[in-house]
């Protein structure tokens, strides 16, 4: 079966996490992703956080599957010549260098357009246009400047960054959508265009509910859906939410059996209004069903702490999986806190191709996260990451270089 992006050639100048997330996604959808790496060194993550000496790290291997690797010294005159040929015949150039690096290499937007007017040039940067546009940015910086950190954590503690890499992988996802959209528009216009995904903007997009809350808070002075209400007083900015669901249905993380020794023996419980009666029956508080202090969502808001405390008395008598099984029977939304250890061995995630084991010639078998987006006509086959420069000769031959020319480029140190 063909793949959705068959025939799309991507010149992949990405490194670390944000850009590689984007191009790996495009590769899973069938694009030919040619990762351009520095001669002899490659993507810096190849040797960061190594767990096996001399083997590409999991950091690298889990973000660069399904790609081909070529090494080109893009600061070498002959290397630039190779790059020009690749630019002429590829559809998309993706990069997440520090601001200005591509221009310093000699490949400004104007130059790329002159070489290939159909080329889409897609970039991740830390910030969009403005006072910080020249700054380098990493994941946690993005979480802080995008509004996420100020709203994460507990009200009596400092800002907290999330384990979900919303700055890097989140922005990579945004960029991938921008690229596919630009490819679609090119069908009609015949022209390439610039695509920019700034990490601050990407994080803010994922945090838009917090900007919603900022405006609600400014108008009303309170956020009633937080269980700490009415015990907490609210300041001028949206506070850290703790484990409040932040939506229209109150939720909290509750202890389950074994919480004293197992840091993940907890369940997320949503006291969804449509199933309130069932919740009351399950925890043995039938009197709450019609009681004016508890019968409606608004009446319950100032009592959320007490309500979740009562529900916790019920969850603490069960393991998180037992609680999940019972709550599901009553259609009560909930979710156990799964550790990465539990996720790594989850059979259904393996069966759906979301957790995949691949074989690597140096490191052997490793687990990776497969494509979270499933297309019925474009199934993803997850493949291992390439070795450094594994495909240099193959790719250059496809772009018209003879065996002798490739040899000469190598001797000159250009590839
Ligand atoms: N051959 C020769 N030189 C190469 C090369 C190649 N194949 N590929 C890259 N280089 C050079 C670049 O031209 C650049 O040189 P210059 O600084 O002389 O212009 C240099 O390698 C390093 O690029 P840079 O992006 O500045 O790397 P860095 O390690 O200093 O910074 C980041 C890393 C992530 C902070 C920075 O790239 C950045 O802010 N990127 C945008 C935001 C982003 O994606 N952040 C998240 C990363 S997960």
């Amino acid at each position: 079966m063909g793949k959705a992006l068959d025939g799309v050639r991507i010149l992949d100048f990405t490194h670390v996490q944000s850009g590689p997330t984007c191009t790996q996604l495009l590769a899973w959808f069938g694009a030919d992703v040619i990762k351009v790496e520095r001669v002899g060194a490659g993507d810096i993550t190849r040797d960061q956080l190594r767990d096996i000496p001399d083997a590409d790290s999991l950091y690298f291997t889990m973000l660069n599957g399904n790609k081909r690797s070529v090494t080109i010294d893009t600061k070498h005159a002959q290397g630039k010549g190779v790059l020009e040929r690749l630019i002429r015949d590829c559809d998309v150039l993706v990069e997440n260098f520090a601001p200005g690096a591509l221009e310093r290499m000699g490949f400004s937007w104007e130059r790329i357009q002159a070489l290939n007017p159909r080329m889409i040039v897609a970039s991740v940067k830390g910030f969009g246009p403005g006072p910080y546009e020249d700054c380098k940015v990493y994941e946690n910086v993005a979480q802080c400047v995008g509004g996420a950190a100020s709203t994460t954590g507990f009200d009596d503690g400092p800002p907290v960054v999330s384990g979900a890499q919303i700055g890097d992988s989140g922005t990579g996802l945004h960029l991938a959508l921008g690229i596919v959209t630009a490819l679609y528009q090119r069908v009609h216009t015949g022209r390439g265009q610039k695509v920019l995904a700034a990490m601050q903007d990407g994080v803010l997009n994922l945090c838009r509910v917090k900007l919603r809350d900022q405006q609600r808070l400014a108008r009303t002075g309170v956020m009633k859906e937080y269980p700490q209400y009415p015990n907490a007083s609210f300041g001028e900015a949206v506070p850290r939410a703790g484990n409040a669901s932040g939506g229209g249905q109150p939720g909290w993380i509750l202890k389950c059996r074994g919480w004293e020794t197992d840091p993940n023996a907890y369940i997320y419980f949503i006291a969804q209004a449509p199933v309130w009666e069932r919740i009351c029956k399950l925890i043995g508080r039938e009197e709450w069903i019609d009681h004016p202090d508890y019968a409606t969502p608004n009446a319950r808001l100032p009592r959320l702490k007490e309500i979740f405390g009562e529900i916790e008395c019920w969850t603490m008598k069960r393991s998180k999986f037992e609680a999940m099984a019972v709550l599901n029977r009553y259609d009560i939304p909930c979710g156990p806190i799964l550790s990465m250890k539990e996720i790594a061995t989850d059979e259904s995630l393996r069966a759906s191709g979301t957790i995949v084991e691949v074989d690597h010639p140096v490191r052997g078998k490793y687990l990776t996260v497969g494509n979270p987006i499933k297309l019925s006509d474009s199934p993803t086959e997850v493949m291992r990451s390439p070795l450094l420069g594994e495909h240099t000769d193959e790719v250059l031959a496809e772009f018209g270089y003879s065996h002798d020319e490739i040899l000469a480029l190598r001797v000159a140190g250009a590839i």
Side-chain angles (χ1 to χ4, degrees), residues 5 19 27 57 68-69 72 100 147 180 204 268 314 356 363-364 367 402:
L5 295 182
S57 70
R68 299 197 282 174
S69 166
I72 303 174
V180 175
L204 176 57
Y268 200 95
W314 183 88
V356 185
R363 74 163 24 257
L367 283 188
S402 70

Side-chain angles (χ1 to χ4, degrees), residues 13 15-20 36-39 44 59 71-76 96-102 104-105 124-126 135-139 168 199:
F13 264 110
H15 64 157
V16 200
Q17 184 183 163
S18 64
V36 180
E37 298 186 74
R38 283 172 301 143
V39 179
I44 194 169
Y59 195 2
T71 52
I72 303 174
D73 181 351
T74 58
K75 290 184 173 166
H76 190 291
N96 68 311
F97 290 131
L102 198 60
R104 285 195 291 280
M105 255 181 218
V124 170
K125 293 288 167 264
C135 299
K136 290 183 176 180
V137 168
Y138 282 105
E139 169 69 48
D168 279 339
M199 295 168 75

Side-chain angles (χ1 to χ4, degrees), residues 154-210:
F154 286 88
D155 46 337
D156 56 355
V160 173
V161 293
S162 152
Q165 305 284 283
I166 56 176
D168 279 339
S169 292
T171 308
L173 279 164
H174 283 93
L175 192 71
L177 179 60
I179 290 169
V180 175
T181 306
L183 281 168
Y184 183 73
Q185 191 170 12
R186 195 181 71 172
V187 172
H188 307 294
T189 65
R191 286 196 315 273
Q193 61 181 298
K194 285 188 277 186
V195 180
L196 170 67
M199 295 168 75
Q200 182 184 36
D201 302 12
V203 170
L204 176 57
N205 184 37
L206 297 175
C207 280
R208 67 175 51 224
V209 296
K210 300 297 180 181

Side-chain angles (χ1 to χ4, degrees), residues 289-307:
I289 295 171
D290 300 315
H291 193 293
D293 286 350
Y294 299 90
T296 65
N298 274 344
R300 291 195 286 276
L301 282 176
R303 297 176 181 79
L304 288 177
K305 255 188 171 173
E306 176 203 350
I307 291 168

